[in-house]
Amino acid sequence: MTPRSLNRATLARQGLLERAADPLAMITRLVGLQAQLARPPFVGLWTRIRDFRREQLHALVTERAVVRATMMRGTLHLMSAADYAAFRSTFQAMFSAGTKTVLGKRIEGLDMAKLSAFARTQLPATFDALRPVLAKKFSSFEDRALGYSVRMHLPLIQVPTADRWAYPASSDFACAETWIGRPIATEPAPQELVRRYLAAFGPASVRDAQAWSGLRDLAPAFAALRDQLVTFKDGKRELFDLPDAPRPDADTPVPVRFLPDFDNLVLGHDDRERVIARDHRAAIVTKNLQVKATFLVDGVVAGTWTIGRKKAATLVLSPFAALTKPVRAALDQEGDALLRFVEPDAATFAIKLA
């Protein structure tokens, strides 16, 4: 398969060739939406769902059908409550290893079972409120080490509020089982995770799946599934896919699309050339590892964008190369709709090039 055919296959699964109708179904299809910041999942759904309204996602998190929690790569994601319950234990070994790497000797001798049991009795709470309580109970350990240990070992979700983007900067955390009203699966499910990954990001390699998930060794899961998958070659790389997954023609037209910060599309593979040129990857990542909001032209990342707000809401485009008149017109039309979604109460709206 060529980068262009891989591009079209991935865009089809990501809801970026044609907008879908159901936000919950899209969140489930994608396994999760990256959510270090509160606003990006809203924009990520806006770009994938027809006539998406902010209230739709507010309703899903308030009704507890969707949760915000630490998952893939040890980062916050927005995902269905059902998927969180099914896959949380699949990531526990990664979380535990990460705790040892980050904290090292600072947690030697800490009884994680006792710490988790005590933390449960103090939730819901923000970690700013929880850390001193933990430090008083477990006085031999630093408060931040205790807080981080709880975050990585206890299944937790963030509690939504009526905030504009559903989650304040310092959110309460709650025990996941209590919040979603169902038990967390105790057995890891790497094979099912691989299936779901391929459905959302395939065709893809073992290393692609590992980069997306943060799990170190998914090769056995791929090996166990090999007879149920189809394979392709991208140069020397072996790519796997579900037999009936969509793989559109490489020349399928693609509309311009605006992606939020940290979007799944640009973080879903080890080899990302299907969606962004190697020379442009550095341009979308800041020194403190923030991943910028981007826009797609012909299915690939063609620049970054920001929105500023004074009296007017202004969308600033920073393209990697000169834009043709038809492309600029399409970006202006889509960008105006984005502005009105993000800043609906602005007096005026403007779009300009950086």
Side-chain angles (χ1 to χ4, degrees):
M1 296 190 74
T2 65
R4 190 174 176 86
S5 59
L6 290 173
N7 172 272
R8 295 315 194 251
T10 306
L11 294 178
R13 301 166 201 207
Q14 288 282 312
L16 294 167
L17 287 184
E18 183 177 352
R19 285 186 166 105
D22 186 339
L24 179 57
M26 180 58 67
I27 293 168
T28 302
R29 184 202 298 187
L30 300 178
V31 189
L33 292 164
Q34 186 107 352
Q36 277 116 309
L37 303 176
R39 188 182 79 176
F42 285 83
V43 177
L45 287 174
W46 172 85
T47 207
R48 291 172 167 92
I49 301 295
R50 290 191 300 274
D51 303 317
F52 177 72
R53 294 173 290 107
R54 188 182 310 172
E55 295 77 15
Q56 291 175 280
L57 184 50
H58 266 282
L60 289 173
V61 297
T62 301
E63 294 164 4
R64 310 188 185 194
V66 169
V67 296
R68 188 187 191 202
T70 300
M71 285 293 277
M72 283 73 77
R73 303 183 300 283
T75 59
L76 286 171
H77 279 72
L78 208 68
M79 62 195 310
S80 75
D83 280 346
Y84 180 81
F87 292 122
R88 172 59 175 74
S89 64
T90 306
F91 293 90
Q92 186 56 61
M94 179 185 72
F95 296 157
S96 298
T99 305
K100 293 177 182 177
T101 299
V102 172
L103 300 177
K105 293 184 177 180
R106 286 187 288 166
I107 57 169
E108 283 186 359
L110 177 61
D111 189 322
M112 292 294 180
K114 288 184 178 179
L115 175 64
S116 296
F118 176 74
R120 286 177 183 273
T121 69
Q122 305 301 309
L123 299 172
T126 66
F127 268 90
D128 286 342
L130 181 62
R131 280 191 293 266
V133 177
L134 296 176
K136 185 176 180 180
K137 178 72 172 179
F138 299 86
S139 56
S140 299
F141 302 92
E142 300 171 352
D143 61 346
R144 292 197 173 274
L146 292 167
Y148 188 74
S149 297
V150 168
R151 189 187 292 260
M152 292 293 102
H153 285 84
L154 187 62
L156 301 173
I157 60 87
Q158 288 192 331
V159 178
T161 69
D163 278 39
R164 186 179 190 184
W165 304 112
Y167 296 93
S170 182
S171 296
D172 279 351
F173 283 78
C175 293
E177 300 99 325
T178 302
W179 182 260
I180 64 178
R182 70 177 79 191
I184 304 300
T186 57
E187 291 298 319
Q191 291 182 37
E192 182 58 23
L193 186 70
V194 166
R195 288 180 179 276
R196 294 289 300 283
Y197 170 73
L198 292 176
F201 295 92
S205 68
V206 175
R207 290 183 63 177
D208 288 330
Q210 292 177 168
W212 166 78
S213 65
L215 301 178
R216 292 183 177 181
D217 188 10
L218 286 176
F222 275 86
L225 292 170
R226 179 177 284 274
D227 290 346
Q228 303 169 41
L229 303 175
V230 293
T231 59
F232 301 94
K233 285 291 186 179
D234 174 27
K236 294 181 179 180
R237 297 193 312 138
E238 183 178 34
L239 306 180
F240 297 83
D241 205 5
L242 303 177
D244 57 351
R247 289 180 286 274
D249 187 87
D251 293 324
T252 301
V254 181
V256 298
R257 289 285 188 253
F258 285 90
L259 303 179
D261 323 49
F262 300 101
D263 192 77
N264 295 24
L265 184 74
V266 299
L267 294 173
H269 301 86
D270 176 60
D271 185 332
R272 301 172 188 173
E273 289 195 64
R274 71 181 70 189
V275 294
I276 184 168
R278 190 178 299 273
D279 292 345
H280 293 155
R281 283 183 62 168
I284 71 168
V285 181
T286 67
K287 291 181 180 179
N288 59 350
L289 301 181
Q290 301 294 299
V291 180
K292 298 178 183 179
T294 59
F295 60 86
L296 306 181
V297 175
D298 193 27
V300 299
V301 175
T304 62
W305 62 270
T306 59
I307 289 178
R309 172 74 184 271
K310 293 182 179 178
K311 287 186 178 181
T314 303
L315 172 64
V316 180
L317 305 177
S318 300
F320 298 146
L323 303 172
T324 65
K325 287 184 178 180
V327 167
R328 178 61 197 275
L331 287 170
D332 283 352
Q333 181 178 358
E334 186 78 354
D336 182 72
L338 173 64
L339 274 171
R340 294 173 189 275
F341 173 76
V342 174
E343 299 288 353
D345 58 345
T348 56
F349 303 90
I351 301 173
K352 66 179 185 179
L353 296 177

